[in-house]
Amino acid sequence: MSERWTPHATVAVVAERDGKFLMVEEISDGQRVINQPAGHIEANEAILDAVIRESIEETGWQVKPTALIGLYTYTAPANGITYHRYCFAGEPIQAIPDAQLDDGIVGPRWMSIEELRDCPNLRSQMVLTCIEDYLSGKHYPLDVITEHP
């Protein structure tokens, strides 16, 4: 009997303020890594709602999605899981002072593109690819996404 292949659906957001990007420092497989605010889409959750929720849970920042940057796939060598990432551009609205961050999150970091390009501990290659795509102008309207209840 063969196992059914099921990719993991995730969202991420590239939020820029004053030339720096909102990033997450987190613990993954016992290592400190840098990622965008990102995570799994939950059952019955709208994609854009997942973007907003994950940003708050991972950084304590409310972010408003403004455009789709792209769709990305990545198979993690550590576990063999394939991730399908919907990556969005987002506007940082405000920090939420008492936001409860997810387990494993060290905290938010604002980093320049130079710092990110030099960072040896990005969670995956998708982190920099998404930001480079954002910087190159890949911005698609949010209405390219249609969700049926």
Side-chain angles (χ1 to χ4, degrees), residues 113 117 127-138:
I113 187 61
R117 287 175 179 150
V127 174
L128 192 55
T129 300
C130 289
I131 293 174
E132 296 285 5
D133 284 353
Y134 165 85
L135 289 171
S136 76
K138 290 185 180 180

Side-chain angles (χ1 to χ4, degrees), residues 24-121:
V24 177
E25 185 174 359
E26 61 187 346
I27 306 298
S28 177
D29 295 325
Q31 308 248 348
R32 280 184 182 230
V33 296
I34 300 295
N35 197 6
Q36 280 103 6
H40 288 84
I41 301 167
E42 295 180 356
N44 302 312
E45 182 177 38
I47 293 170
L48 295 178
D49 290 343
V51 174
I52 295 164
R53 176 185 54 76
E54 286 291 350
S55 180
I56 292 169
E57 290 177 355
E58 294 203 344
T59 68
W61 272 84
Q62 179 183 6
V63 173
K64 176 186 174 186
T66 58
L68 177 69
I69 297 171
L71 306 173
Y72 304 82
T73 61
Y74 175 72
T75 301
N79 59 19
I81 294 174
T82 299
Y83 296 90
H84 286 194
R85 172 184 274 202
Y86 300 80
C87 188
F88 294 86
E91 176 187 348
I93 303 296
Q94 66 181 358
I96 300 171
D98 297 327
Q100 181 66 38
L101 302 182
D102 283 346
D103 289 341
I105 301 295
V106 176
R109 289 182 59 187
W110 289 93
M111 298 176 71
S112 70
I113 187 61
E114 293 81 14
E115 291 172 311
L116 290 162
R117 287 175 179 150
D118 292 339
C119 185
N121 59 332

Side-chain angles (χ1 to χ4, degrees), residues 44-47 145-149:
N44 302 312
E45 182 177 38
I47 293 170
I145 300 168
T146 301
E147 296 187 85
H148 296 283

Side-chain angles (χ1 to χ4, degrees), residues 2-35:
S2 65
E3 286 189 40
R4 182 176 166 195
W5 178 74
T6 306
H8 290 223
T10 63
V11 294
V13 65
V14 174
E16 182 182 14
R17 182 184 74 176
D18 300 326
K20 295 202 172 193
F21 296 94
L22 178 60
M23 305 303 292
V24 177
E25 185 174 359
E26 61 187 346
I27 306 298
S28 177
D29 295 325
Q31 308 248 348
R32 280 184 182 230
V33 296
I34 300 295
N35 197 6

